[in-house]
Amino acid sequence: MTRVRLSVAERRGELLRAAVEQIEARGVAAVRIADVAAALGVSNALVLYHFASKERLVAAAFRHAAEADLAHLRKLLGRRTSALRRLRSAVRWYAPTGQAKGWRLWIEGWAASLREPALREVTQDLDRQWRAALAEVIAEGVAAGEFHCPDPQATALRLTAFLDGLAVRLTSYPGAIPRAWAQQWTEDALARELGLEPAPLTPPMSNPA
């Protein structure tokens, strides 16, 4: 059957989506140009025409995946409601107990970025964008008198650091932390940062065995 001829942008998008799927399935270290090509039934040369090396393909794939999540985050933060409601929606979605996808992908990326400068540059840039988006809405809430926060930038950094760490724990050790606990901790962290009383989500918790 004759393949449909795609534009350059469409072909790149197809390759990036396939690369994300292969990275999630195989890991950054194990994935090959050949795996991405085989998934789409194209030649290695075609992949290399668009991305000159595996390192460039991987970095572009991570940016592609993250920009989709960033677009959704900005949609949540751009709703016409209070800053507090927007923040709660965004944090609940971003948290590893929420609907954001790709935590395994990002943990792979963080590990690989220790050895790959191009990927490290991408992950650092995307992390800055996440924090900037949160900090902007936190500052809006402070200006509107919804809550108190002396340093929105630092608050955004602490929140994302907490959620990233929680994601590593939940992804690496499935079942080690009950989902309800992680949800409660996320609510507590946000309330604490904004000087608010946390709303209880779960019954009192005992320490894990």
Side-chain angles (χ1 to χ4, degrees), residues 59-60 62-63 66 106 117-127:
F62 272 90
R63 185 174 292 280
W106 281 103
L119 184 55
R120 182 164 60 248
E121 183 178 341
V122 168
T123 56
Q124 287 177 333
D125 175 53
L126 294 167
D127 180 63

Side-chain angles (χ1 to χ4, degrees), residues 22 27 29 42 50 54 62 64 69 103 106 110 117 119 125 127 134 137 141 146 158 169 171 182 188 190-191 204:
Q22 291 300 310
V42 300
H50 289 275
K54 171 189 166 179
F62 272 90
H64 174 80
D69 278 350
W103 276 113
W106 281 103
W110 291 332
L119 184 55
D125 175 53
D127 180 63
L134 290 176
V137 178
E146 295 182 37
R158 285 191 295 269
R169 171 69 65 170
T171 304
D188 291 349
L190 180 60

Side-chain angles (χ1 to χ4, degrees), residues 18-76:
V20 169
E21 292 174 358
Q22 291 300 310
I23 291 167
E24 289 178 331
R26 302 170 184 272
V28 173
V31 75
R32 304 170 302 161
I33 290 289
D35 298 321
V36 177
L40 294 174
V42 300
S43 66
N44 292 4
L46 178 64
V47 181
L48 290 169
Y49 173 80
H50 289 275
F51 305 96
S53 65
K54 171 189 166 179
E55 290 72 24
R56 290 188 181 183
L57 173 62
V58 167
F62 272 90
R63 185 174 292 280
H64 174 80
E67 284 178 348
D69 278 350
L70 276 167
H72 187 73
L73 174 71
R74 290 178 176 129
K75 181 178 179 181
L76 292 175

Side-chain angles (χ1 to χ4, degrees), residues 1 6 27-29 45 66 69-70 78 96 98 111 120 122 141 143 150 154 159 168 179 191 201:
M1 183 173 66
L6 302 178
V28 173
D69 278 350
L70 276 167
R120 182 164 60 248
V122 168
L159 280 173
V168 171
R179 182 182 177 87
L201 296 182

Side-chain angles (χ1 to χ4, degrees), residues 69 72-100 130 133-134 137-138 146-147 159 163 183 186-187 190-191 194 196 201:
D69 278 350
H72 187 73
L73 174 71
R74 290 178 176 129
K75 181 178 179 181
L76 292 175
L77 295 178
R79 289 176 174 172
R80 299 182 66 179
T81 185
S82 70
L84 181 57
R85 283 181 178 272
R86 285 180 282 154
L87 279 170
R88 279 186 168 146
S89 293
V91 168
R92 286 170 179 170
W93 172 78
Y94 178 88
T97 54
Q99 295 179 334
W130 276 97
L134 290 176
V137 178
I138 293 170
E146 295 182 37
F147 43 76
L159 280 173
L163 294 173
Q183 290 174 322
T186 298
E187 291 288 328
L190 180 60
L194 303 181
L196 302 173
L201 296 182

